Amino acid sequence: MVYKSRRSIKRESVRVDELPIDEKLKKLIIEEKGILELYPPQAEAIRAGLLDGENIVLATSTATGKTFLAELAMVNSVLRGRGKSILLVPLKALAHEKAEDLKIYEKLGIKIAVTTGDYGSLDTWLERYDIIVATYEKFDSLLRHRAPWLRSIGLLVIDEVHYISDEKRGPIIESIIAKLRILGIRPQILALSATIDNADEIADWLEARLVRSSWRPVKLREGVYFDGKIHFNDGEVLEIKKLRDPVTDLAIDCLENDGQVLIFTNSRSNTVKLANSLAQFIAGYGKKIIDIEETGKVISKIDEVSSSKLIAEELKRVVKYGVAFHHAGLDHEVRKIIERAYRDKIVKIVVATTTLAAGVNLPARRVIIHEYRRYEPGIGFEPIPVAEYKQMAGRAGRPRLDPYGEAVLIARREEEIEQLMDYYVRSSPEPVVSKFYKDKPLSTHILAAVAGRYVETIKDIVTFLSLTLAARQRGVLNNVVFRNLLESRVLNIVKMLQESELAELRNGKIRPTKLGVTAALNYLDPDTAKMFVRGLRDDRAITEISYLYIVVKSPEVPKLRIKKSEIEKYLSILRDWSDMLPLLENVDLEDPDIENVRTILEEIKTLCLILDWISEAPEDTIVMKYEVGPGDIRMYVDTLEWLINAASQIARTLNLDDKAEKLDILKIRIRYGVRNELVELVQLEGVGRARARALYEAGYRTIEDIARADPREISRRVKGVGERLAKIIVESARELLKKGYIKIGKVSERPEEKKIEEKIRQSISERPRQRSILDYFT
């Protein structure tokens, strides 16, 4: 039965001390979180039955307390003995941030856990925890593994449920709901969404009551700036003092009125350019609008945590004047410092990329959309979606600090004023549209359903697919023609899975092969699994370069773009390595058509970055050489570690044990960024990239060497290792000798490998020319 709340939002609030919740929880909320009463949308969710087990879709504006309501519902559910609460989020960084925020409830005896990676693991340890924060992908992988504790879930919170429109993550949300329903697991569902056009459709699908509201704690004014004036949607025109350029004029005007500014732009290079420009202006500005002493403390913290001294220096120069740039290329810890300094009103202006809008929870008096167009590869510059603009605009207005918030687009020509008003300000966000029935997600989730034994026949698969939002939106449930078309597509996919050795169809029953189970449990799509199988069976798959090339070819690995000036360099490397690159077929390397090999050259460049990383090149060298940020390096490490592990499992399934062992060693090298000889040492507690090298150079080269050593001698011989840490390292070594560990593999003696290793080391030792920081974020 579909439930839908038709009551309008009542303006009266609900006091926390009136809520039907545990008294200790009330006390914590009032005394430690400082919340005395609920906002109207929160109150309406309570009246709709949130605390009584009703499914709720909460579609409200930014800063209306959706996160707190989720916390309240989860803790209340656990304290009432209804089972575990699960919070699903789209991003790893967001999962860790949410888990950190939830730790305050540990005072009530509630155990909090976060899980985001290692898709091949069952994670039985999670059974001991009450509230589990996970990414969509991780929770879906647990469903594929059928973790036994799943039946103890009492509440499932889906944050950012409007991500259903996302081609990668949306189908995962739908697959999660479909799998739970097939298993007969029916937890209470709380889905949190931005204001979207078809929230009622999502509520119907989830059999939930809809609480939708445009109410905001701070009034939002939206407008367009042109030639010294902001034209607001309420008809008011506000004149802005012209100082230099539109962004500077809008930012300084806000700062002079004790506000803070959040600027969104379309590229990383623009975040750095704008931050530098604003910092230079503020440095020469006659009025004091920044506390230099306070920004100095922030600078010290950045120095402590940044893995890239190069980027830290550039960031420190702008932070000194209360400005910061913020994008995915920065270290996670550095981003957190910037965000904290902004919330503490030390940093006054943050310039961020539009793609990071959903992950930046930084309310501002004024939000400036510097660029409403974004470059899309193969297309050119395209206007950002209305929903994305609304997400950014929703950051305007700091609760309890601002009487209003302002979201301002910048027009380049006078005629753009009305165009931007109509397209963005006066428009509603696009409806959420499922991407589940696109070819890749459809085949991926059919394989997962088959491998997890959720389905056994074509009819079962169609039933599984009918539980998705896509089925409702495509009319599959009520239209025989659409249903027949879907069955035809399912048959074709099952045939493809058979041909790929991932499944078998016998007597009408679909069974996964061992290879299919391995691929699905390691979160691979069928195309990637097929590619790994071909690559590992290739006779050229014999070196670390071979294995890395196999995984780098995966669409899950973002490729570095090739500049015209780099083509000959990477073409030369490609020619040198061609006899060791599996999957390299029908390519003329003597007189190639550059456009035809451009994709391969981008794969080679990406492969070179990873090779430099595992050859212990300093991070700043990699930053300069490949024009990436520390955050990008972390992303490549996480992605490659997952794919290398998956490739290792597939190699074992194919009885290629020698290749699996080499891949296991390579996985450790990628995780820590070390050469082959340090593989044993980095498995020790408290030992990373730099410390392992220091131990090795001091003569401690294996686990056995460390286990036999005197901690006092280690602390004396190894710089930076005190006696206390040395004891921990020695104890860890002795423990590993009992439990077992991955030993250093025998290094290949092939002459071509030695030649390539030498070439790599030479390339690392070459000092890149000195460049502007702007070059690193193009």
Side-chain angles (χ1 to χ4, degrees):
M1 180 178 180
V2 175
Y3 295 95
K4 202 182 291 186
S5 175
R6 298 188 181 277
R7 290 173 289 182
S8 61
I9 296 293
K10 296 181 180 179
R11 294 304 168 198
E12 67 269 18
S13 296
V14 171
R15 293 177 58 82
V16 171
D17 58 14
E18 297 172 342
L19 292 173
I21 58 175
D22 185 278
E23 290 299 321
K24 290 180 181 177
L25 176 56
K26 280 184 190 178
K27 186 177 179 183
L28 186 149
I29 291 169
I30 293 169
E31 295 182 2
E32 300 202 33
K33 293 187 78 73
I35 299 172
L36 302 179
E37 59 184 25
L38 303 184
Y39 288 148
Q42 295 172 325
E44 179 64 9
I46 299 297
R47 285 192 285 268
L50 177 63
L51 299 179
D52 300 317
E54 293 287 356
N55 291 348
I56 302 289
V57 170
L58 185 63
T60 62
S61 305
T62 305
T64 51
K66 290 192 287 283
T67 298
F68 167 67
L69 202 63
E71 292 177 6
L72 174 63
M74 288 189 292
V75 176
N76 176 68
S77 182
V78 170
L79 292 178
R80 286 193 178 186
R82 292 175 179 166
K84 297 182 186 300
S85 291
I86 308 295
L87 172 58
L88 303 184
V89 298
L91 306 170
K92 287 184 179 181
L94 198 54
H96 289 281
E97 184 180 308
K98 297 285 187 184
E100 193 62 35
D101 292 342
L102 283 164
K103 286 194 179 295
I104 190 172
Y105 299 105
E106 289 180 339
K107 296 177 181 180
L108 302 176
I110 290 175
K111 296 176 181 176
I112 315 293
V114 59
T115 180
T116 60
D118 196 0
Y119 300 136
S121 171
L122 192 60
D123 281 3
T124 53
W125 60 275
L126 290 171
E127 193 164 5
R128 303 191 299 270
Y129 292 85
D130 303 306
I131 296 178
I132 299 166
V133 186
T135 56
Y136 304 151
E137 292 90 341
K138 178 59 183 180
F139 188 69
D140 186 40
S141 79
L142 291 169
L143 280 165
R144 295 183 185 197
H145 283 275
R146 294 211 188 197
W149 53 265
L150 289 168
R151 293 193 177 276
S152 64
I153 298 173
L155 171 63
L156 178 69
V157 179
I158 308 173
D159 196 15
E160 312 279 3
V161 75
H162 51 269
Y163 264 83
I164 285 175
S165 279
D166 183 82
E167 189 168 336
K168 181 180 179 183
R169 294 189 170 95
I172 296 171
I173 298 173
E174 295 179 72
S175 178
I176 286 169
I177 298 300
K179 290 191 183 84
L180 288 172
R181 287 177 174 174
I182 284 179
L183 290 174
I185 299 173
R186 289 270 182 168
Q188 179 189 4
I189 293 174
L190 170 60
L192 309 177
S193 172
T195 49
I196 52 176
D197 202 42
N198 60 334
D200 54 342
E201 195 172 31
I202 293 175
D204 286 347
W205 170 56
L206 294 174
E207 300 175 2
R209 293 183 175 181
L210 173 62
V211 176
R212 174 163 47 191
S213 173
S214 58
W215 181 91
R216 288 175 47 90
V218 179
K219 180 185 175 184
L220 174 63
R221 308 171 75 204
E222 297 175 73
V224 179
Y225 174 88
F226 178 72
D227 194 28
K229 296 176 182 177
I230 303 176
H231 301 263
F232 284 109
N233 53 339
D234 59 7
E236 182 185 344
V237 177
L238 177 66
E239 292 202 20
I240 302 293
K241 185 179 179 182
K242 295 178 77 171
L243 300 168
R244 189 176 62 178
D245 59 79
V247 171
T248 302
D249 299 348
L250 288 165
I252 298 301
D253 173 77
C254 186
L255 263 57
E256 287 189 335
N257 289 286
D258 198 32
Q260 285 176 282
V261 181
L262 185 55
I263 303 169
F264 287 108
T265 189
N266 60 359
S267 68
R268 293 184 187 182
S269 59
N270 271 343
T271 67
V272 181
K273 286 177 185 175
L274 289 172
N276 271 306
S277 174
L278 287 162
Q280 288 167 12
F281 185 88
I282 291 170
Y285 197 49
K287 300 177 184 178
K288 183 185 177 184
I289 50 179
I290 300 298
D291 188 332
I292 300 295
E293 186 177 335
E294 288 299 317
T295 58
K297 295 175 185 176
V298 177
I299 286 170
S300 298
K301 291 176 183 175
I302 291 171
D303 252 339
E304 290 171 13
V305 304
S306 179
S307 61
S308 169
K309 299 306 175 189
L310 185 72
I311 293 175
E313 286 302 317
E314 186 69 17
L315 189 55
K316 283 155 51 181
R317 278 197 289 273
V318 296
V319 166
K320 180 179 179 179
Y321 298 105
V323 184
F325 50 86
H326 187 295
H327 54 66
L330 299 178
D331 284 310
H332 175 69
E333 294 80 4
V334 171
R335 296 205 304 264
K336 292 297 112 184
I337 289 171
I338 292 168
E339 290 166 17
R340 198 173 302 116
Y342 185 86
R343 292 191 184 102
D344 292 341
K345 299 181 71 175
I346 299 169
V347 167
K348 304 287 187 178
I349 303 172
V350 167
V351 190
T353 47
T354 53
T355 50
L356 215 61
V360 181
N361 185 20
L362 299 175
R365 166 80 60 81
R366 181 173 286 167
V367 169
I368 302 169
I369 293 86
H370 168 250
E371 274 290 355
Y372 60 86
R373 299 178 307 152
R374 184 168 55 232
Y375 182 77
E376 300 291 347
I379 300 173
F381 282 95
E382 289 274 294
I384 60 173
V386 177
E388 195 170 320
Y389 159 75
K390 295 293 184 185
Q391 184 93 33
M392 292 184 280
R395 302 295 178 199
R398 300 167 299 174
R400 296 182 292 277
L401 290 176
D402 292 327
Y404 56 85
E406 296 173 340
V408 184
L409 289 145
I410 296 176
R412 268 54 179 181
R413 304 180 307 277
E414 189 170 2
E415 57 267 29
E416 271 192 325
I417 298 172
E418 273 304 304
Q419 292 171 1
L420 292 174
M421 278 285 191
D422 286 339
Y423 192 84
Y424 288 114
V425 177
R426 299 187 186 113
S427 295
S428 299
E430 299 85 357
V432 167
V433 178
S434 169
K435 306 297 191 299
F436 197 101
Y437 285 0
K438 289 202 166 189
D439 289 342
K440 181 176 178 179
L442 189 61
S443 62
T444 297
H445 291 287
I446 286 177
L447 171 61
V450 169
R453 300 299 176 95
Y454 286 90
V455 296
E456 288 190 332
T457 65
I458 299 297
K459 184 179 178 182
D460 288 346
I461 294 175
V462 173
T463 299
F464 171 76
L465 298 176
S466 72
L467 297 172
T468 63
L469 178 64
R472 289 174 177 269
Q473 293 185 332
R474 295 290 188 92
V476 170
L477 300 179
N478 305 312
N479 190 306
V480 175
V481 174
F482 286 166
R483 193 176 180 88
N484 290 340
L485 285 171
L486 181 60
E487 283 190 19
S488 177
R489 290 187 68 195
V490 168
L491 280 167
N492 288 335
I493 289 171
V494 170
K495 183 180 178 183
M496 178 273 291
L497 295 177
Q498 282 184 281
E499 292 170 352
S500 306
E501 305 174 54
L502 300 172
E504 297 172 338
L505 179 61
R506 292 180 183 174
N507 302 320
K509 296 284 187 181
I510 306 165
R511 293 281 188 266
T513 62
K514 188 177 179 182
L515 182 62
V517 171
T518 301
L521 293 186
N522 283 280
Y523 225 77
L524 297 180
D525 64 85
D527 288 340
T528 300
K530 284 190 292 183
M531 186 174 66
F532 281 10
V533 170
R534 282 178 51 226
L536 290 167
R537 284 174 171 165
D538 193 312
D539 290 339
R540 290 171 291 184
I542 50 174
T543 71
E544 67 188 34
I545 292 169
S546 310
Y547 302 131
L548 285 173
Y549 186 67
I550 292 169
V551 295
V552 163
K553 283 188 74 68
S554 166
E556 298 290 344
V557 180
K559 310 302 185 289
L560 295 172
R561 280 188 288 172
I562 288 283
K563 295 179 179 178
K564 191 174 181 179
S565 59
E566 296 175 323
I567 288 174
E568 282 305 318
K569 171 186 174 181
Y570 287 106
L571 190 55
S572 174
I573 294 174
L574 175 59
R575 288 179 179 130
D576 286 348
W577 293 358
S578 59
D579 64 334
M580 284 182 289
L581 298 181
L583 309 171
L584 188 65
E585 297 165 353
N586 303 319
V587 180
D588 180 6
L589 297 180
E590 295 307 315
D591 187 24
D593 181 327
I594 296 304
E595 288 310 309
N596 289 341
V597 298
R598 182 176 291 276
T599 300
I600 298 173
L601 295 180
E602 289 175 347
E603 292 166 351
I604 295 298
K605 183 177 179 180
T606 308
L607 171 56
C608 287
L609 182 152
I610 302 301
L611 284 169
D612 278 354
W613 169 250
I614 64 174
S615 297
E616 298 178 46
E619 279 202 25
D620 275 344
T621 299
I622 296 174
V623 166
M624 295 176 74
K625 187 174 176 182
Y626 298 100
E627 301 174 4
V628 295
D632 299 311
I633 297 172
R634 298 281 88 71
M635 177 274 296
Y636 278 113
V637 168
D638 289 346
T639 304
L640 267 291
E641 188 180 347
W642 155 46
L643 292 172
I644 287 285
N645 182 68
S648 170
Q649 298 303 315
I650 284 180
R652 284 189 169 83
T653 304
L654 298 173
N655 296 318
L656 301 172
D657 291 346
D658 57 333
K659 294 184 178 183
E661 289 172 8
K662 290 179 180 179
L663 285 161
D664 288 340
I665 290 171
L666 192 53
K667 182 177 79 168
I668 292 176
R669 292 183 63 193
I670 286 169
R671 180 185 298 170
Y672 295 100
V674 294
R675 293 179 182 168
N676 199 71
E677 64 265 26
L678 299 188
V679 164
E680 287 191 21
L681 298 182
V682 291
Q683 295 174 68
L684 293 164
E685 184 180 349
V687 175
R689 197 183 198 207
R691 195 163 284 152
R693 177 55 61 189
L695 286 165
Y696 189 88
E697 296 302 329
Y700 303 103
R701 303 194 166 184
T702 66
I703 297 291
E704 291 182 353
D705 290 344
I706 299 288
R708 290 195 300 263
D710 182 337
R712 288 171 296 185
E713 184 68 13
I714 291 177
S715 65
R716 187 181 66 79
R717 291 172 60 182
V718 182
K719 187 178 179 181
V721 176
E723 194 169 331
R724 183 170 173 274
L725 177 57
K727 286 180 181 177
I728 292 171
I729 292 171
V730 170
E731 287 170 9
S732 175
R734 290 169 182 170
E735 192 64 27
L736 285 174
L737 285 178
K738 296 175 187 175
K739 290 182 176 180
Y741 57 95
I742 295 178
K743 296 185 178 181
I744 300 171
K746 185 180 179 182
V747 181
S748 171
E749 297 297 325
R750 292 188 71 197
E752 53 266 55
E753 273 198 87
K754 285 189 172 184
K755 178 183 174 183
I756 291 164
E757 179 72 13
E758 184 59 32
K759 179 180 275 191
I760 294 167
R761 296 192 183 206
Q762 284 176 1
S763 72
I764 292 168
S765 64
E766 290 172 3
R767 290 180 60 85
R769 66 179 176 83
Q770 291 299 309
R771 311 169 74 178
S772 161
I773 190 74
L774 300 181
D775 291 334
Y776 313 146
F777 300 114
T778 53

